[in-house]
Amino acid sequence: MNEIYLTLTMLLQLLASIVLALPVAWDREREGPSMGLRTFPLVSLGSCAYVLIGLSLVSPDEHEMLIRIMQGLMAGIGFVGGGAILKNSDHVRGTASAASIWVTGALGAAVGFQLWALAIALSVINFSVIIVMSRVKQKLD
């Protein structure tokens, strides 16, 4: 019975990591072709999954191993985000998507560690910054 509960909990965490990534994914999909409805949820899902795998392999008091997992996630997601940045002769695009993908990875990790308030806050704040600052940027331009 305990095994079924753990499996269901993990499945719900994986699903939650996808759902919490959707607001920014939807906005980025509307803004351009680089990243959107597939990439953001998958980054969050992958981050959550790696944290869940790590937690199942090491005891919670082995902080060094969990920190290594986080370091790997941060570096890997940074690499994915770097692919969103496009530079022309005098213009750089995609930095907001790159930064948002990094936050989305942190969101997935937070879900994996069951830091629900942090995960929800990251989702709401990331989406809010993208929406509000896009409008501010349009007015400045």
Side-chain angles (χ1 to χ4, degrees), residues 86-131:
L86 304 171
K87 184 183 181 307
N88 295 336
S89 59
D90 64 340
H91 188 71
V92 176
R93 289 182 41 107
T95 54
S97 291
S100 288
I101 205 75
W102 210 48
V103 173
T104 301
L107 181 159
V111 171
F113 283 113
Q114 295 186 8
L115 301 171
W116 295 105
L118 177 60
I120 292 167
L122 287 170
S123 179
V124 169
I125 292 169
N126 193 11
F127 182 68
S128 299
V129 167
I130 290 294
I131 295 297

Side-chain angles (χ1 to χ4, degrees), residues 52-64:
L52 292 173
I53 291 166
L55 289 171
S56 70
L57 295 176
V58 300
S59 67
D61 55 332
E62 292 183 75
H63 299 291
E64 297 83 19

Side-chain angles (χ1 to χ4, degrees), residues 12-108:
L12 287 173
Q13 285 175 266
L14 293 170
L15 181 61
S17 72
I18 292 170
V19 170
L20 289 171
L22 287 176
V24 168
W26 170 76
D27 180 73
R28 297 292 82 196
E29 186 76 28
R30 288 184 317 125
E31 290 297 317
S34 68
M35 294 181 169
L37 285 172
R38 294 177 297 179
T39 306
F40 283 84
L42 288 173
V43 166
S44 185
L45 175 69
S47 294
C48 182
Y50 276 109
V51 167
L52 292 173
I53 291 166
L55 289 171
S56 70
L57 295 176
V58 300
S59 67
D61 55 332
E62 292 183 75
H63 299 291
E64 297 83 19
M65 295 303 288
L66 296 175
I67 289 169
R68 285 186 178 177
I69 292 168
M70 295 300 296
Q71 287 174 325
L73 285 173
M74 290 168 57
I77 294 165
F79 179 77
V80 171
I85 300 173
L86 304 171
K87 184 183 181 307
N88 295 336
S89 59
D90 64 340
H91 188 71
V92 176
R93 289 182 41 107
T95 54
S97 291
S100 288
I101 205 75
W102 210 48
V103 173
T104 301
L107 181 159

